[in-house]
Amino acid sequence: MAKKKNRPTSGAATPAVATLKAAGVDYRVHEFDPGSDHFGQHAAQALSAAQGAEASAIFKTLVVDLSAGRGPRRMLAVCCVPVTGSLSLKKAAQAFGVAKVSMADPHDAEKSSGYITGGISPLGQKKPLPTRIDATATSHPTIYVSGGKRGLDIQLSPHDLATVVGAEFSDLAASS
């Protein structure tokens, strides 16, 4: 892993940033106005305008339920897909080796991750979950993921992200 070169901006300390700092990887923190809904779209617009980021390099973090709603105990997992598309639940099920997945209840996702919806990061989660990153991430030298709060994204190598969270790359995006 590369040495960390960029320090987080003041006020940006989140568990996600702390995780990267502890791992010693290179990253950059970007803050922007998150808007009040459609947080992924706001991130894409803000990061494209300010950083020249390609929208396909900006990833949203989605929490899925591997138990597909069966039983009282949920088995959650994380999928990171480009904000320009959507998650294929069928492909997510294949990636995790289960018959079916569903989107997690937002309350369950928030409770498990320690973050609020629209700001859930794959990094620094309260209860680390199995994670898959859409394979298109590897076509970019860096990608952007939520930094743990709305309006805060972290730019880093997709391979560093995978290493830090123990993720695998999989085909997760729904076909257009």
Side-chain angles (χ1 to χ4, degrees), residues 115-163:
Y115 297 121
I116 61 170
T117 304
I120 294 176
S121 177
L123 296 153
Q125 293 195 356
K126 188 167 65 174
K127 297 178 185 172
L129 299 172
T131 302
R132 301 294 183 270
I133 304 167
D134 189 68
T136 60
T138 61
S139 66
H140 300 283
T142 62
I143 60 171
Y144 299 77
V145 295
S146 175
K149 69 179 186 176
R150 295 174 184 162
L152 179 74
D153 267 33
I154 297 172
Q155 179 184 4
L156 75 165
S157 155
H159 299 286
D160 283 346
L161 174 62
T163 299

Short mmCIF file of all heavy atoms in Angstrom, two decimals, residues 115-163:
data_model
loop_
_atom_site.label_atom_id
_atom_site.label_comp_id
_atom_site.label_asym_id
_atom_site.label_seq_id
_atom_site.Cartn_x
_atom_site.Cartn_y
_atom_site.Cartn_z
N TYR A 115 -23.47 4.86 10.49
CA TYR A 115 -23.62 6.04 9.65
C TYR A 115 -25.09 6.26 9.29
O TYR A 115 -25.88 5.32 9.39
CB TYR A 115 -22.84 5.86 8.33
CG TYR A 115 -21.34 5.71 8.49
CD1 TYR A 115 -20.70 4.57 8.02
CD2 TYR A 115 -20.58 6.71 9.07
CE1 TYR A 115 -19.33 4.43 8.13
CE2 TYR A 115 -19.20 6.57 9.19
CZ TYR A 115 -18.58 5.43 8.72
OH TYR A 115 -17.23 5.29 8.83
N ILE A 116 -25.42 7.47 8.81
CA ILE A 116 -26.79 7.72 8.39
C ILE A 116 -26.93 7.47 6.89
O ILE A 116 -25.97 7.61 6.13
CB ILE A 116 -27.26 9.15 8.74
CG1 ILE A 116 -26.41 10.22 8.04
CG2 ILE A 116 -27.27 9.36 10.24
CD1 ILE A 116 -26.96 11.61 8.14
N THR A 117 -28.13 7.10 6.47
CA THR A 117 -28.41 6.86 5.06
C THR A 117 -28.03 8.09 4.26
O THR A 117 -28.32 9.21 4.65
CB THR A 117 -29.91 6.53 4.86
OG1 THR A 117 -30.23 5.42 5.69
CG2 THR A 117 -30.22 6.20 3.42
N GLY A 118 -27.37 7.87 3.14
CA GLY A 118 -26.86 8.97 2.32
C GLY A 118 -25.43 9.30 2.68
O GLY A 118 -24.78 10.07 1.98
N GLY A 119 -24.93 8.72 3.77
CA GLY A 119 -23.56 8.96 4.20
C GLY A 119 -22.88 7.69 4.64
O GLY A 119 -21.84 7.73 5.30
N ILE A 120 -23.47 6.54 4.30
CA ILE A 120 -22.87 5.26 4.69
C ILE A 120 -21.61 5.02 3.87
O ILE A 120 -21.63 5.10 2.65
CB ILE A 120 -23.87 4.10 4.53
CG1 ILE A 120 -25.02 4.27 5.53
CG2 ILE A 120 -23.17 2.75 4.75
CD1 ILE A 120 -26.12 3.23 5.42
N SER A 121 -20.53 4.76 4.57
CA SER A 121 -19.25 4.49 3.94
C SER A 121 -18.93 3.00 4.04
O SER A 121 -19.30 2.36 5.02
CB SER A 121 -18.15 5.28 4.65
OG SER A 121 -16.87 4.98 4.09
N PRO A 122 -18.21 2.46 3.06
CA PRO A 122 -17.75 1.07 3.21
C PRO A 122 -16.61 0.97 4.22
O PRO A 122 -16.27 -0.12 4.67
CB PRO A 122 -17.27 0.71 1.80
CG PRO A 122 -16.91 2.01 1.17
CD PRO A 122 -17.84 3.03 1.76
N LEU A 123 -16.06 2.11 4.60
CA LEU A 123 -14.91 2.17 5.51
C LEU A 123 -15.35 2.53 6.92
O LEU A 123 -16.26 3.34 7.11
CB LEU A 123 -13.94 3.25 5.03
CG LEU A 123 -13.29 3.02 3.67
CD1 LEU A 123 -12.92 4.34 3.03
CD2 LEU A 123 -12.09 2.12 3.85
N GLY A 124 -14.70 1.96 7.91
CA GLY A 124 -14.90 2.36 9.29
C GLY A 124 -16.28 2.06 9.85
O GLY A 124 -16.75 2.76 10.74
N GLN A 125 -16.90 1.02 9.35
CA GLN A 125 -18.23 0.67 9.84
C GLN A 125 -18.16 0.12 11.26
O GLN A 125 -17.19 -0.55 11.63
CB GLN A 125 -18.89 -0.34 8.91
CG GLN A 125 -19.20 0.25 7.55
CD GLN A 125 -20.15 -0.59 6.75
OE1 GLN A 125 -20.55 -1.68 7.14
NE2 GLN A 125 -20.53 -0.08 5.59
N LYS A 126 -19.20 0.39 12.02
CA LYS A 126 -19.27 -0.08 13.40
C LYS A 126 -19.16 -1.61 13.45
O LYS A 126 -18.44 -2.16 14.27
CB LYS A 126 -20.59 0.39 14.03
CG LYS A 126 -20.70 0.13 15.50
CD LYS A 126 -21.87 0.88 16.14
CE LYS A 126 -23.20 0.39 15.61
NZ LYS A 126 -24.34 0.99 16.31
N LYS A 127 -19.87 -2.28 12.56
CA LYS A 127 -19.79 -3.73 12.41
C LYS A 127 -19.36 -4.01 10.98
O LYS A 127 -20.18 -3.99 10.08
CB LYS A 127 -21.15 -4.39 12.68
CG LYS A 127 -21.67 -4.19 14.07
CD LYS A 127 -23.04 -4.81 14.24
CE LYS A 127 -23.61 -4.50 15.61
NZ LYS A 127 -25.01 -4.93 15.74
N PRO A 128 -18.07 -4.24 10.74
CA PRO A 128 -17.61 -4.47 9.36
C PRO A 128 -18.39 -5.61 8.71
O PRO A 128 -18.63 -6.65 9.31
CB PRO A 128 -16.14 -4.84 9.53
CG PRO A 128 -15.74 -4.21 10.82
CD PRO A 128 -16.98 -4.30 11.69
N LEU A 129 -18.82 -5.36 7.49
CA LEU A 129 -19.64 -6.31 6.75
C LEU A 129 -18.90 -6.85 5.54
O LEU A 129 -18.02 -6.17 4.99
CB LEU A 129 -20.92 -5.62 6.28
CG LEU A 129 -21.84 -5.06 7.37
CD1 LEU A 129 -22.96 -4.25 6.75
CD2 LEU A 129 -22.39 -6.18 8.23
N PRO A 130 -19.27 -8.05 5.07
CA PRO A 130 -18.71 -8.54 3.81
C PRO A 130 -18.99 -7.50 2.72
O PRO A 130 -20.08 -6.93 2.68
CB PRO A 130 -19.48 -9.83 3.54
CG PRO A 130 -20.12 -10.20 4.83
CD PRO A 130 -20.28 -8.95 5.63
N THR A 131 -18.01 -7.24 1.88
CA THR A 131 -18.13 -6.16 0.90
C THR A 131 -17.72 -6.61 -0.49
O THR A 131 -16.74 -7.34 -0.65
CB THR A 131 -17.25 -4.96 1.33
OG1 THR A 131 -17.67 -4.53 2.63
CG2 THR A 131 -17.36 -3.80 0.36
N ARG A 132 -18.48 -6.16 -1.48
CA ARG A 132 -18.15 -6.36 -2.89
C ARG A 132 -18.16 -4.99 -3.56
O ARG A 132 -19.03 -4.16 -3.29
CB ARG A 132 -19.16 -7.28 -3.60
CG ARG A 132 -19.30 -8.67 -2.99
CD ARG A 132 -18.02 -9.49 -3.15
NE ARG A 132 -18.17 -10.84 -2.64
CZ ARG A 132 -17.91 -11.21 -1.38
NH1 ARG A 132 -17.48 -10.34 -0.51
NH2 ARG A 132 -18.07 -12.46 -1.00
N ILE A 133 -17.19 -4.78 -4.43
CA ILE A 133 -17.07 -3.54 -5.20
C ILE A 133 -17.27 -3.89 -6.66
O ILE A 133 -16.68 -4.86 -7.15
CB ILE A 133 -15.68 -2.90 -4.99
CG1 ILE A 133 -15.41 -2.66 -3.50
CG2 ILE A 133 -15.56 -1.61 -5.80
CD1 ILE A 133 -13.96 -2.33 -3.18
N ASP A 134 -18.08 -3.10 -7.36
CA ASP A 134 -18.30 -3.37 -8.77
C ASP A 134 -16.96 -3.37 -9.51
O ASP A 134 -16.11 -2.49 -9.29
CB ASP A 134 -19.24 -2.34 -9.40
CG ASP A 134 -19.65 -2.74 -10.80
OD1 ASP A 134 -20.37 -3.74 -10.94
OD2 ASP A 134 -19.19 -2.08 -11.75
N ALA A 135 -16.78 -4.35 -10.36
CA ALA A 135 -15.50 -4.55 -11.06
C ALA A 135 -15.10 -3.36 -11.93
O ALA A 135 -13.91 -3.19 -12.21
CB ALA A 135 -15.57 -5.82 -11.90
N THR A 136 -16.04 -2.51 -12.32
CA THR A 136 -15.68 -1.34 -13.12
C THR A 136 -14.76 -0.40 -12.36
O THR A 136 -14.08 0.43 -12.98
CB THR A 136 -16.94 -0.57 -13.59
OG1 THR A 136 -17.67 -0.12 -12.44
CG2 THR A 136 -17.82 -1.44 -14.48
N ALA A 137 -14.72 -0.51 -11.04
CA ALA A 137 -13.84 0.36 -10.24
C ALA A 137 -12.39 0.20 -10.67
O ALA A 137 -11.61 1.16 -10.62
CB ALA A 137 -13.99 0.04 -8.76
N THR A 138 -12.02 -1.00 -11.09
CA THR A 138 -10.61 -1.26 -11.43
C THR A 138 -10.18 -0.56 -12.71
O THR A 138 -8.99 -0.50 -13.01
CB THR A 138 -10.34 -2.77 -11.54
OG1 THR A 138 -11.15 -3.31 -12.57
CG2 THR A 138 -10.61 -3.47 -10.21
N SER A 139 -11.12 0.00 -13.46
CA SER A 139 -10.77 0.74 -14.68
C SER A 139 -10.40 2.19 -14.38
O SER A 139 -10.04 2.94 -15.29
CB SER A 139 -11.91 0.68 -15.70
OG SER A 139 -13.04 1.38 -15.23
N HIS A 140 -10.46 2.59 -13.12
CA HIS A 140 -10.12 3.95 -12.70
C HIS A 140 -8.91 3.91 -11.77
O HIS A 140 -8.83 3.05 -10.90
CB HIS A 140 -11.30 4.58 -11.95
CG HIS A 140 -12.55 4.68 -12.73
ND1 HIS A 140 -12.77 5.62 -13.70
CD2 HIS A 140 -13.68 3.91 -12.70
CE1 HIS A 140 -13.97 5.45 -14.23
NE2 HIS A 140 -14.54 4.41 -13.65
N PRO A 141 -7.99 4.87 -11.92
CA PRO A 141 -6.85 4.91 -10.99
C PRO A 141 -7.30 5.22 -9.56
O PRO A 141 -6.74 4.71 -8.60
CB PRO A 141 -5.94 6.00 -11.54
CG PRO A 141 -6.77 6.78 -12.49
CD PRO A 141 -7.90 5.91 -12.94
N THR A 142 -8.32 6.08 -9.44
CA THR A 142 -8.91 6.37 -8.14
C THR A 142 -10.42 6.41 -8.29
O THR A 142 -10.94 6.69 -9.37
CB THR A 142 -8.43 7.71 -7.53
OG1 THR A 142 -8.81 8.78 -8.39
CG2 THR A 142 -6.94 7.71 -7.29
N ILE A 143 -11.11 6.10 -7.19
CA ILE A 143 -12.56 6.21 -7.14
C ILE A 143 -12.93 7.04 -5.93
O ILE A 143 -12.08 7.32 -5.07
CB ILE A 143 -13.26 4.83 -7.09
CG1 ILE A 143 -12.83 4.04 -5.84
CG2 ILE A 143 -13.00 4.04 -8.37
CD1 ILE A 143 -13.63 2.77 -5.60
N TYR A 144 -14.18 7.42 -5.85
CA TYR A 144 -14.69 8.21 -4.74
C TYR A 144 -15.77 7.39 -4.03
O TYR A 144 -16.66 6.83 -4.70
CB TYR A 144 -15.33 9.50 -5.25
CG TYR A 144 -14.37 10.41 -5.99
CD1 TYR A 144 -13.99 10.15 -7.30
CD2 TYR A 144 -13.87 11.56 -5.38
CE1 TYR A 144 -13.12 10.98 -7.98
CE2 TYR A 144 -13.00 12.40 -6.05
CZ TYR A 144 -12.62 12.11 -7.35
OH TYR A 144 -11.77 12.94 -8.02
N VAL A 145 -15.70 7.32 -2.72
CA VAL A 145 -16.73 6.66 -1.91
C VAL A 145 -17.09 7.59 -0.76
O VAL A 145 -16.32 8.49 -0.41
CB VAL A 145 -16.28 5.28 -1.36
CG1 VAL A 145 -16.03 4.29 -2.49
CG2 VAL A 145 -15.05 5.41 -0.48
N SER A 146 -18.23 7.34 -0.16
CA SER A 146 -18.66 8.17 0.96
C SER A 146 -17.61 8.12 2.07
O SER A 146 -17.06 7.06 2.39
CB SER A 146 -20.00 7.70 1.50
OG SER A 146 -20.34 8.45 2.66
N GLY A 147 -17.41 9.27 2.68
CA GLY A 147 -16.46 9.36 3.78
C GLY A 147 -17.10 9.22 5.15
O GLY A 147 -16.46 9.44 6.16
N GLY A 148 -18.39 8.88 5.19
CA GLY A 148 -19.03 8.63 6.46
C GLY A 148 -20.02 9.69 6.90
O GLY A 148 -20.56 9.62 8.00
N LYS A 149 -20.24 10.68 6.05
CA LYS A 149 -21.30 11.64 6.30
C LYS A 149 -21.69 12.25 4.95
O LYS A 149 -20.91 12.23 4.00
CB LYS A 149 -20.90 12.71 7.31
CG LYS A 149 -19.84 13.70 6.85
CD LYS A 149 -19.55 14.72 7.94
CE LYS A 149 -18.60 15.80 7.42
NZ LYS A 149 -18.38 16.84 8.43
N ARG A 150 -22.90 12.74 4.90
CA ARG A 150 -23.38 13.36 3.67
C ARG A 150 -22.50 14.56 3.34
O ARG A 150 -22.18 15.35 4.22
CB ARG A 150 -24.84 13.80 3.83
CG ARG A 150 -25.78 12.65 4.03
CD ARG A 150 -27.18 13.14 4.34
NE ARG A 150 -28.06 12.02 4.63
CZ ARG A 150 -29.21 12.13 5.25
NH1 ARG A 150 -29.63 13.31 5.66
NH2 ARG A 150 -29.95 11.07 5.46
N GLY A 151 -22.10 14.65 2.08
CA GLY A 151 -21.26 15.77 1.66
C GLY A 151 -19.78 15.57 1.90
O GLY A 151 -19.01 16.52 1.82
N LEU A 152 -19.37 14.34 2.17
CA LEU A 152 -17.96 14.04 2.38
C LEU A 152 -17.62 12.78 1.61
O LEU A 152 -18.17 11.72 1.88
CB LEU A 152 -17.67 13.83 3.87
CG LEU A 152 -16.22 13.49 4.23
CD1 LEU A 152 -15.35 14.73 4.10
CD2 LEU A 152 -16.13 12.94 5.63
N ASP A 153 -16.76 12.90 0.61
CA ASP A 153 -16.32 11.74 -0.14
C ASP A 153 -14.81 11.60 -0.02
O ASP A 153 -14.10 12.58 0.18
CB ASP A 153 -16.71 11.85 -1.62
CG ASP A 153 -18.04 11.18 -1.91
OD1 ASP A 153 -18.92 11.20 -1.03
OD2 ASP A 153 -18.22 10.65 -3.03
N ILE A 154 -14.36 10.36 -0.14
CA ILE A 154 -12.94 10.04 -0.08
C ILE A 154 -12.51 9.50 -1.43
O ILE A 154 -13.16 8.62 -1.99
CB ILE A 154 -12.67 8.98 1.02
CG1 ILE A 154 -13.04 9.53 2.40
CG2 ILE A 154 -11.22 8.52 0.97
CD1 ILE A 154 -12.98 8.51 3.51
N GLN A 155 -11.43 10.03 -1.93
CA GLN A 155 -10.84 9.59 -3.20
C GLN A 155 -9.65 8.70 -2.86
O GLN A 155 -8.76 9.09 -2.10
CB GLN A 155 -10.38 10.80 -4.00
CG GLN A 155 -9.72 10.48 -5.32
CD GLN A 155 -9.22 11.73 -6.03
OE1 GLN A 155 -9.29 12.84 -5.52
NE2 GLN A 155 -8.69 11.53 -7.23
N LEU A 156 -9.65 7.48 -3.41
CA LEU A 156 -8.55 6.55 -3.16
C LEU A 156 -8.50 5.50 -4.25
O LEU A 156 -9.43 5.37 -5.06
CB LEU A 156 -8.69 5.89 -1.78
CG LEU A 156 -9.74 4.80 -1.60
CD1 LEU A 156 -9.48 4.04 -0.31
CD2 LEU A 156 -11.14 5.33 -1.60
N SER A 157 -7.44 4.75 -4.27
CA SER A 157 -7.29 3.65 -5.22
C SER A 157 -8.35 2.59 -4.92
O SER A 157 -8.55 2.24 -3.76
CB SER A 157 -5.89 3.05 -5.07
OG SER A 157 -5.87 1.71 -5.49
N PRO A 158 -9.00 2.04 -5.96
CA PRO A 158 -9.96 0.96 -5.71
C PRO A 158 -9.31 -0.25 -5.05
O PRO A 158 -9.93 -0.94 -4.24
CB PRO A 158 -10.53 0.63 -7.09
CG PRO A 158 -9.59 1.21 -8.07
CD PRO A 158 -8.89 2.35 -7.39
N HIS A 159 -8.05 -0.49 -5.37
CA HIS A 159 -7.35 -1.63 -4.78
C HIS A 159 -7.05 -1.40 -3.30
O HIS A 159 -7.14 -2.33 -2.49
CB HIS A 159 -6.09 -1.95 -5.57
CG HIS A 159 -6.39 -2.32 -6.99
ND1 HIS A 159 -6.95 -3.53 -7.34
CD2 HIS A 159 -6.27 -1.62 -8.14
CE1 HIS A 159 -7.15 -3.57 -8.65
NE2 HIS A 159 -6.74 -2.42 -9.15
N ASP A 160 -6.72 -0.14 -2.94
CA ASP A 160 -6.52 0.17 -1.52
C ASP A 160 -7.84 0.01 -0.77
O ASP A 160 -7.86 -0.53 0.34
CB ASP A 160 -5.98 1.59 -1.34
CG ASP A 160 -4.50 1.71 -1.65
OD1 ASP A 160 -3.81 0.66 -1.76
OD2 ASP A 160 -4.01 2.85 -1.78
N LEU A 161 -8.94 0.47 -1.36
CA LEU A 161 -10.24 0.31 -0.71
C LEU A 161 -10.52 -1.17 -0.47
O LEU A 161 -10.90 -1.57 0.64
CB LEU A 161 -11.36 0.92 -1.57
CG LEU A 161 -12.79 0.68 -1.07
CD1 LEU A 161 -13.01 1.30 0.31
CD2 LEU A 161 -13.80 1.21 -2.09
N ALA A 162 -10.33 -1.99 -1.50
CA ALA A 162 -10.59 -3.42 -1.37
C ALA A 162 -9.72 -4.05 -0.28
O ALA A 162 -10.20 -4.87 0.51
CB ALA A 162 -10.36 -4.13 -2.70
N THR A 163 -8.46 -3.65 -0.23
CA THR A 163 -7.55 -4.20 0.78
C THR A 163 -7.99 -3.81 2.18
O THR A 163 -8.06 -4.65 3.08
CB THR A 163 -6.11 -3.72 0.52
OG1 THR A 163 -5.69 -4.20 -0.76
CG2 THR A 163 -5.16 -4.22 1.59
#
